[in-house]
Each structure stands twice: as C-alpha cells, then as structure tokens.
Amino acid sequence: MRTYAGHSTARESNELYRRNLAKGQTGLSIAFDLPTQTGYDPDHELSRGEVGKVGVSIAHKGDMHALLDGIPLDEMNTSMTINATAAWLLALYLTVAEENGLERSSLQGTTQNDIIKEFLSRGTYAFPPEPSMRLIADTIAFTVEEVPQWNPINICSYHLQEAGATPVQEIAYSISTAIAVLDRVRERVSRESFPRVFGRISFFVNAGIRFIEEHAKLRAMAELWEELGRERYGVDDDRYLRFRYGVQVNSLGLTEAQPENNIIRIVLEALAVTLGRSARARALQLPAWNEALGLPRPWDQQWSLRIQQILAYETDLLEYPDIFEGSKVMDALAAELASGAREEMAAVAERGGAVDAVPYMKTKMVESHRERVRRIESGELKVVGQNVFTEAEPSPLQEGEDGGIMRVNEAVERSAVEAVARWRSARDGQAVTDALTDLERAAADPDANLMPPTLAAAKARATTGEWAEALRAIFGDYRGPTGVGDAAAAPSDDSLGALRERVERVSDGLGRRVKILVGKPGLDGHSNGAEQIAVRARDAGMDVVYEGIRLTPARIARTAVDEGVHVVGLSILSGSHAELIPAVLNELEQAGADVPVVVGGIIPAADQDALLQAGVSRVYTPQDFEVSRIMGDIVDLVAEHHGVAVASA
C-alpha cells in the first residue's frame, strides 16, 4: 500500500515519508521532480520553475542520503517513478545503501524505467530511443545478478491510458514494449539467467472507471504475458510466468468540476484491481481527490491510503477465491480484448517493433484521445459534474487559504540552485572528471555495461545533470514525435463545420490563414491537452505550429516571430505556470511579437487572476472540456486583436 509522494527538498520529502509510514503505508513510492527525471541540475535553464514541483529534487548522492535518512532500506520496498535517468537514480540508491552498511542483495523495489511510454505519453525522455533501450538493458542485466530482489523495470501501460489509449491499445503497446526490452536484454545475459530476467519484469497499469472492462483487461494481459513467455522466450517455470503488476488508478478521469466526486471514482477504480484474486494487483497506489486542481497535501494522501486500508481490512474483499472464475461475461470480454491486442501487436511488429513503431503508436493514441474528447463534448460519454448534473453546491473541501491544494515555496528552487553550487565546490573535481570520462568511454563501447561507471560516478559525487550530459555527448539529443501531423482528419460534424466557417471568415479578414503556435515551455511532458488543441486547430482549418515539448521561453518567442503567428497557446500542467508564463510574455515583448497569449493547464483560481493581470488573454483549466468552444473563443480573440470585422455566417 503506497501513496505516490515527494516534493520540494529531500529533507521535506523524508519527513513526509516517515509520517506516511507511521500511518500504515507499507512501501515507498517516490515522485521525482522534472529536472531529476529528465537529467538536468536545478541551475539549468530548462529547470526554471520546475524544481521540486511534481516531485522531489535529487541532484546527487547527498540528496539521496537526506531523502532516505532513517528509513530501513533492507526492510523497505521502494518504487521509484523514474525512466530516462533510472540507471542513475538506482546507482544513487545503491550507493546510499552501501554507505549505510547494507548489502545489495537485501534491497527490494522497482525502477519504472520504461522509456517507450515516455515517447508516447509522458515526455520525460533524455536520450534517443536506441541508446535509451541500451540503458534499460544494461540496468536489467546488472540487477538480475547484483540486486536479485529488485524489479529493474515496470512496463507502464498506466500512462498510455492517461494519453487516451483504448484498453486494446494499452495492452498491445505495453506488451510490445516488453518484447522490445526483452529482445535487447537477451543479448546481454546468459541463457541460464534469461528466465529469471523474464520473471523480474513487472508492469504498472491503469484502472479506469469502467471497472468490469478494466478487470477483463488485466485477465487478458495475464493470458498474453504467459503466452509470450512460453512461445517466444521458452520460459516454462510457472514462478517466472506470473503477470506481476502494480497499479495507480486513473487520473485522466478526475475532474476539476465537483472534485469531491473524484473520491467515488477512485474507490470504484480500485475495485477493478482487487476484486478478482487471480488477476489482483501486487501493489496499489491511489491518487488524491484533488489532483485535477494541483498538488495534493499530506491529508489528501492520507485519505487515499485509508481507502486501501478500508478495502483490505474492513470489507471481505480478500476472503474469497476468484469471484469471476467461470463468468461467461468476464471470459468473453477478456477474450475479446486479448484478440484485439494480438491484432494491434501484429501491427506494431510489422513496423519493426515498439521502438521503430513509436510514431505509429503515438498517432493512434492521439486519434483515440480525440475520439474520447469528442464523446465528452457531444454528451455521448457522460462525466458527472462536468457535462451532466453540473448544478452543485460549492465544495467545502476547497475552502481555506490553500484552496484545497499544496503549493511549493518559491524559495525551494533558489535553495536548490545554491545547494548544488556548494556541492560542486566541496568535492574532488578531478575524481568527478575522471568518473565522467570513464562513463563516456563506456557509452561509446556498445559491448560495455553502463551500470558500473554510473555507480562510480555516483560515488565520486557527480550530479544528475553531469551524468546525463556525459551521455548526451555520446548519444545525442532527441525530440519525440507529436502524433499531430500524421493524425487522420476528424470526421466532420455540425460543431466542427461551424468552427471551420469561423476560421475561414477570420482568415479572409486577415488576408491569410489564421496561424496558431502551440507551445509547452519548461520540462512538462504531459502533452495530451496541447496535442488535442493542435489537432482541433488543424481540423478547423488553421495553420498550426507545434514543435512538441521542452521549449524555452526564448525559443517560443523566436518561433512566434519567425512563423508570423496570430496567437500563442501555452500548456503547462506541472505547476510552473507562475514562473514560465511571465517569462514567455517577456520574451515575446522583447522580440516585438504583438500577439495574444492563451494558457491552458492545472492552474488554481488565484493564479488565473495573476496571469490575466500579467497580460494573458485567456486561461483554460480542466473544467473547460469543450475543445471546439475553446477554439472558437481563440478565433474570436484573433479577430478582435487584429481588428478584423467578421460578418456572421
């Protein structure tokens, strides 16, 4: 039983972990901030506004010591949500354990370490696909021998559903990713060790509100996993063929409107992964009721933990054999999902496997998410409090000065920048240089395992940014596909037809096609909303400039000028809007770009007012779910700003 937790500094997060463990939490689930996840130190340009926001900042082994201070690592099962920099964070964890006198063999836990889903959904990648896959394979090959109780990867279907994947796509793309990983690891371990490698692979899945279908999905995944082990990899030991998975239930379906309803959603979603014993989760963490509003507070996390404890200890949920065994409905639904997944896995295989098929899978998920948004807009998919039963009393949960969410103190970033400077000045610089040189040499040798030099760099007191920069020097940089350009055109309906007419009228008035720049400043990689805006703008007939994630404010301003856009749309979900949006406005002003700016994201009401006062023209939050209405609003804004008088149709 876990809560996904971590924020601000290592010491503050350590205090939070100790409190959670005292409340009955049975494992750690560490959230890292975006600079840590993407391989940047707190003082890097791209880290601006992001330090300590969506997780804890860990820049070196000193931070890891502070994070884990007083926590018995030999008794703890620790899950680390880390992917691009998984090898590095694992090295820091192992170093801290060793310096505390613990044997590697005593350590239990999981590094998430699934880079394919980062290209598809979450955006916290650091290196190109093939070098990233090598890092994963090296980590798995190292841990299976050196840290035998550690799960070196969990394949994450969770984030695929968050980005709009259907159950069939979630199954197919995650298992295709597992195939890509296993094929590479097989080349780096002995034949005798490989069944144990297969047995150490775990999954991190999503459980949505359609909990009967979600449970069937998990039964289908278990069937396909065993089938894969026996038929493709020749694994015949039942212990290694078990489908082992942990869960966080769906956050995509949590609403800003009437957020108290989210607690009911979370409980129902937890049932999907606990009701049937033969397909039950091994670990469960639940989101908080207010995650569509901002960062949850300790009390909110406690509430999520109590849900798990009530299910486990007050209900009779765990007392019976599998209650779905022999169910005609469940068997038929699981078989249908498995069949669909096999077909989609074949489509991925035809395109060269999961790594080569990233653009294909990304495009399919953008299309699926667009269909989900369409169904909500039309009312076909009902979401209580959002598009039906919208009349409600004010929520008492949002009363108080904090508005029902936690805010990270702005001083955290300044403190982290100063701290990493002190760390660098107090160490043996030559030892760090030597360790990083050895790391680069190993990266240039395709036969070398990168874990030993990574451990050496951690012990030599290198920083997260230095480790990643050394590998970028060999592997290069990478920008993932957006899926927007290749997405099929949306089928026309009355709403889209009316929007196209408005775009045509304003374009005629401007003398050229309405042009929008959709930008994501900072390190926030959750691009689902930005992609849907870009796709809808394209379907409506606008010219769209969308370069994907991880843009500096200066680059956004430069692109706005170079492309001659009429409006700039910015998307931020990481909580860094208060720092980054004014920075973009300033850069646009300095570049001489006289264009209105609209902003979308998880932005509390008080911050919305501040952004509007700073010069933002419109602010949209998760309660603004009608994308066609938003786009119509933006077209009218362009017309007003540029003095275009547009006659009604």
PDB file of all heavy atoms in Angstrom, residues 197-212:
ATOM      1  N   VAL A 197      15.279 -13.141 -15.735  1.00  0.00           N
ATOM      2  CA  VAL A 197      15.017 -11.799 -16.256  1.00  0.00           C
ATOM      3  C   VAL A 197      13.534 -11.657 -16.569  1.00  0.00           C
ATOM      4  O   VAL A 197      12.883 -10.677 -16.173  1.00  0.00           O
ATOM      5  CB  VAL A 197      15.856 -11.526 -17.524  1.00  0.00           C
ATOM      6  CG1 VAL A 197      15.393 -10.241 -18.204  1.00  0.00           C
ATOM      7  CG2 VAL A 197      17.331 -11.439 -17.181  1.00  0.00           C
ATOM      8  N   PHE A 198      12.969 -12.628 -17.264  1.00  0.00           N
ATOM      9  CA  PHE A 198      11.547 -12.588 -17.601  1.00  0.00           C
ATOM     10  C   PHE A 198      10.715 -12.497 -16.323  1.00  0.00           C
ATOM     11  O   PHE A 198       9.735 -11.752 -16.249  1.00  0.00           O
ATOM     12  CB  PHE A 198      11.163 -13.828 -18.405  1.00  0.00           C
ATOM     13  CG  PHE A 198       9.802 -13.741 -19.037  1.00  0.00           C
ATOM     14  CD1 PHE A 198       9.647 -13.213 -20.313  1.00  0.00           C
ATOM     15  CD2 PHE A 198       8.663 -14.177 -18.365  1.00  0.00           C
ATOM     16  CE1 PHE A 198       8.382 -13.114 -20.899  1.00  0.00           C
ATOM     17  CE2 PHE A 198       7.411 -14.096 -18.935  1.00  0.00           C
ATOM     18  CZ  PHE A 198       7.264 -13.556 -20.213  1.00  0.00           C
ATOM     19  N   GLY A 199      11.121 -13.231 -15.313  1.00  0.00           N
ATOM     20  CA  GLY A 199      10.389 -13.238 -14.050  1.00  0.00           C
ATOM     21  C   GLY A 199      10.489 -11.955 -13.263  1.00  0.00           C
ATOM     22  O   GLY A 199       9.665 -11.695 -12.378  1.00  0.00           O
ATOM     23  N   ARG A 200      11.521 -11.117 -13.546  1.00  0.00           N
ATOM     24  CA  ARG A 200      11.669  -9.849 -12.833  1.00  0.00           C
ATOM     25  C   ARG A 200      10.919  -8.705 -13.518  1.00  0.00           C
ATOM     26  O   ARG A 200      10.835  -7.604 -12.979  1.00  0.00           O
ATOM     27  CB  ARG A 200      13.145  -9.445 -12.715  1.00  0.00           C
ATOM     28  CG  ARG A 200      14.028 -10.343 -11.879  1.00  0.00           C
ATOM     29  CD  ARG A 200      13.420 -10.767 -10.568  1.00  0.00           C
ATOM     30  NE  ARG A 200      13.028  -9.685  -9.686  1.00  0.00           N
ATOM     31  CZ  ARG A 200      12.323  -9.873  -8.573  1.00  0.00           C
ATOM     32  NH1 ARG A 200      11.940 -11.080  -8.215  1.00  0.00           N
ATOM     33  NH2 ARG A 200      12.004  -8.849  -7.817  1.00  0.00           N
ATOM     34  N   ILE A 201      10.406  -8.946 -14.723  1.00  0.00           N
ATOM     35  CA  ILE A 201       9.669  -7.887 -15.418  1.00  0.00           C
ATOM     36  C   ILE A 201       8.317  -7.699 -14.731  1.00  0.00           C
ATOM     37  O   ILE A 201       7.571  -8.655 -14.519  1.00  0.00           O
ATOM     38  CB  ILE A 201       9.450  -8.240 -16.903  1.00  0.00           C
ATOM     39  CG1 ILE A 201      10.783  -8.494 -17.601  1.00  0.00           C
ATOM     40  CG2 ILE A 201       8.666  -7.125 -17.597  1.00  0.00           C
ATOM     41  CD1 ILE A 201      11.678  -7.305 -17.727  1.00  0.00           C
ATOM     42  N   SER A 202       8.022  -6.465 -14.388  1.00  0.00           N
ATOM     43  CA  SER A 202       6.711  -6.156 -13.816  1.00  0.00           C
ATOM     44  C   SER A 202       6.051  -5.060 -14.645  1.00  0.00           C
ATOM     45  O   SER A 202       6.684  -4.441 -15.504  1.00  0.00           O
ATOM     46  CB  SER A 202       6.841  -5.717 -12.349  1.00  0.00           C
ATOM     47  OG  SER A 202       7.624  -4.538 -12.250  1.00  0.00           O
ATOM     48  N   PHE A 203       4.777  -4.834 -14.383  1.00  0.00           N
ATOM     49  CA  PHE A 203       4.006  -3.839 -15.131  1.00  0.00           C
ATOM     50  C   PHE A 203       3.391  -2.835 -14.165  1.00  0.00           C
ATOM     51  O   PHE A 203       3.160  -3.135 -12.990  1.00  0.00           O
ATOM     52  CB  PHE A 203       2.892  -4.513 -15.942  1.00  0.00           C
ATOM     53  CG  PHE A 203       3.382  -5.250 -17.160  1.00  0.00           C
ATOM     54  CD1 PHE A 203       4.022  -6.474 -17.032  1.00  0.00           C
ATOM     55  CD2 PHE A 203       3.200  -4.721 -18.429  1.00  0.00           C
ATOM     56  CE1 PHE A 203       4.487  -7.157 -18.145  1.00  0.00           C
ATOM     57  CE2 PHE A 203       3.661  -5.402 -19.549  1.00  0.00           C
ATOM     58  CZ  PHE A 203       4.302  -6.620 -19.408  1.00  0.00           C
ATOM     59  N   PHE A 204       3.154  -1.642 -14.670  1.00  0.00           N
ATOM     60  CA  PHE A 204       2.454  -0.604 -13.916  1.00  0.00           C
ATOM     61  C   PHE A 204       1.256  -0.207 -14.753  1.00  0.00           C
ATOM     62  O   PHE A 204       1.409   0.374 -15.833  1.00  0.00           O
ATOM     63  CB  PHE A 204       3.382   0.588 -13.675  1.00  0.00           C
ATOM     64  CG  PHE A 204       2.774   1.681 -12.840  1.00  0.00           C
ATOM     65  CD1 PHE A 204       2.342   1.420 -11.550  1.00  0.00           C
ATOM     66  CD2 PHE A 204       2.649   2.965 -13.330  1.00  0.00           C
ATOM     67  CE1 PHE A 204       1.787   2.418 -10.771  1.00  0.00           C
ATOM     68  CE2 PHE A 204       2.097   3.976 -12.563  1.00  0.00           C
ATOM     69  CZ  PHE A 204       1.666   3.706 -11.278  1.00  0.00           C
ATOM     70  N   VAL A 205       0.065  -0.571 -14.303  1.00  0.00           N
ATOM     71  CA  VAL A 205      -1.114  -0.444 -15.152  1.00  0.00           C
ATOM     72  C   VAL A 205      -2.090   0.587 -14.605  1.00  0.00           C
ATOM     73  O   VAL A 205      -1.970   1.059 -13.474  1.00  0.00           O
ATOM     74  CB  VAL A 205      -1.829  -1.805 -15.340  1.00  0.00           C
ATOM     75  CG1 VAL A 205      -0.869  -2.863 -15.823  1.00  0.00           C
ATOM     76  CG2 VAL A 205      -2.503  -2.238 -14.048  1.00  0.00           C
ATOM     77  N   ASN A 206      -3.047   0.903 -15.435  1.00  0.00           N
ATOM     78  CA  ASN A 206      -4.079   1.876 -15.119  1.00  0.00           C
ATOM     79  C   ASN A 206      -5.398   1.151 -14.907  1.00  0.00           C
ATOM     80  O   ASN A 206      -5.655   0.138 -15.553  1.00  0.00           O
ATOM     81  CB  ASN A 206      -4.214   2.863 -16.285  1.00  0.00           C
ATOM     82  CG  ASN A 206      -4.774   4.202 -15.865  1.00  0.00           C
ATOM     83  OD1 ASN A 206      -5.611   4.283 -14.989  1.00  0.00           O
ATOM     84  ND2 ASN A 206      -4.300   5.263 -16.513  1.00  0.00           N
ATOM     85  N   ALA A 207      -6.198   1.651 -14.007  1.00  0.00           N
ATOM     86  CA  ALA A 207      -7.538   1.102 -13.810  1.00  0.00           C
ATOM     87  C   ALA A 207      -8.530   2.248 -13.885  1.00  0.00           C
ATOM     88  O   ALA A 207      -8.562   3.107 -13.006  1.00  0.00           O
ATOM     89  CB  ALA A 207      -7.644   0.383 -12.461  1.00  0.00           C
ATOM     90  N   GLY A 208      -9.314   2.279 -14.957  1.00  0.00           N
ATOM     91  CA  GLY A 208     -10.268   3.355 -15.163  1.00  0.00           C
ATOM     92  C   GLY A 208     -11.624   3.061 -14.552  1.00  0.00           C
ATOM     93  O   GLY A 208     -11.832   2.060 -13.860  1.00  0.00           O
ATOM     94  N   ILE A 209     -12.570   3.946 -14.837  1.00  0.00           N
ATOM     95  CA  ILE A 209     -13.867   3.905 -14.177  1.00  0.00           C
ATOM     96  C   ILE A 209     -14.741   2.754 -14.667  1.00  0.00           C
ATOM     97  O   ILE A 209     -15.629   2.297 -13.955  1.00  0.00           O
ATOM     98  CB  ILE A 209     -14.591   5.263 -14.364  1.00  0.00           C
ATOM     99  CG1 ILE A 209     -15.790   5.399 -13.417  1.00  0.00           C
ATOM    100  CG2 ILE A 209     -15.017   5.444 -15.821  1.00  0.00           C
ATOM    101  CD1 ILE A 209     -15.407   5.469 -11.963  1.00  0.00           C
ATOM    102  N   ARG A 210     -14.511   2.243 -15.870  1.00  0.00           N
ATOM    103  CA  ARG A 210     -15.286   1.098 -16.371  1.00  0.00           C
ATOM    104  C   ARG A 210     -14.651  -0.166 -15.779  1.00  0.00           C
ATOM    105  O   ARG A 210     -13.967  -0.908 -16.475  1.00  0.00           O
ATOM    106  CB  ARG A 210     -15.275   1.097 -17.902  1.00  0.00           C
ATOM    107  CG  ARG A 210     -16.040   2.267 -18.505  1.00  0.00           C
ATOM    108  CD  ARG A 210     -15.844   2.345 -20.020  1.00  0.00           C
ATOM    109  NE  ARG A 210     -16.242   1.116 -20.688  1.00  0.00           N
ATOM    110  CZ  ARG A 210     -17.494   0.801 -21.027  1.00  0.00           C
ATOM    111  NH1 ARG A 210     -18.487   1.640 -20.729  1.00  0.00           N
ATOM    112  NH2 ARG A 210     -17.772  -0.316 -21.653  1.00  0.00           N
ATOM    113  N   PHE A 211     -14.907  -0.414 -14.499  1.00  0.00           N
ATOM    114  CA  PHE A 211     -14.053  -1.354 -13.783  1.00  0.00           C
ATOM    115  C   PHE A 211     -14.287  -2.813 -14.164  1.00  0.00           C
ATOM    116  O   PHE A 211     -13.409  -3.638 -13.959  1.00  0.00           O
ATOM    117  CB  PHE A 211     -14.114  -1.124 -12.263  1.00  0.00           C
ATOM    118  CG  PHE A 211     -15.361  -1.554 -11.565  1.00  0.00           C
ATOM    119  CD1 PHE A 211     -15.463  -2.815 -11.014  1.00  0.00           C
ATOM    120  CD2 PHE A 211     -16.419  -0.680 -11.394  1.00  0.00           C
ATOM    121  CE1 PHE A 211     -16.588  -3.212 -10.323  1.00  0.00           C
ATOM    122  CE2 PHE A 211     -17.551  -1.058 -10.707  1.00  0.00           C
ATOM    123  CZ  PHE A 211     -17.645  -2.337 -10.166  1.00  0.00           C
ATOM    124  N   ILE A 212     -15.404  -3.162 -14.752  1.00  0.00           N
ATOM    125  CA  ILE A 212     -15.569  -4.526 -15.267  1.00  0.00           C
ATOM    126  C   ILE A 212     -14.639  -4.735 -16.468  1.00  0.00           C
ATOM    127  O   ILE A 212     -13.902  -5.726 -16.560  1.00  0.00           O
ATOM    128  CB  ILE A 212     -17.037  -4.783 -15.673  1.00  0.00           C
ATOM    129  CG1 ILE A 212     -17.962  -4.602 -14.456  1.00  0.00           C
ATOM    130  CG2 ILE A 212     -17.182  -6.178 -16.265  1.00  0.00           C
ATOM    131  CD1 ILE A 212     -17.685  -5.533 -13.308  1.00  0.00           C
TER     132      ILE A 212
END
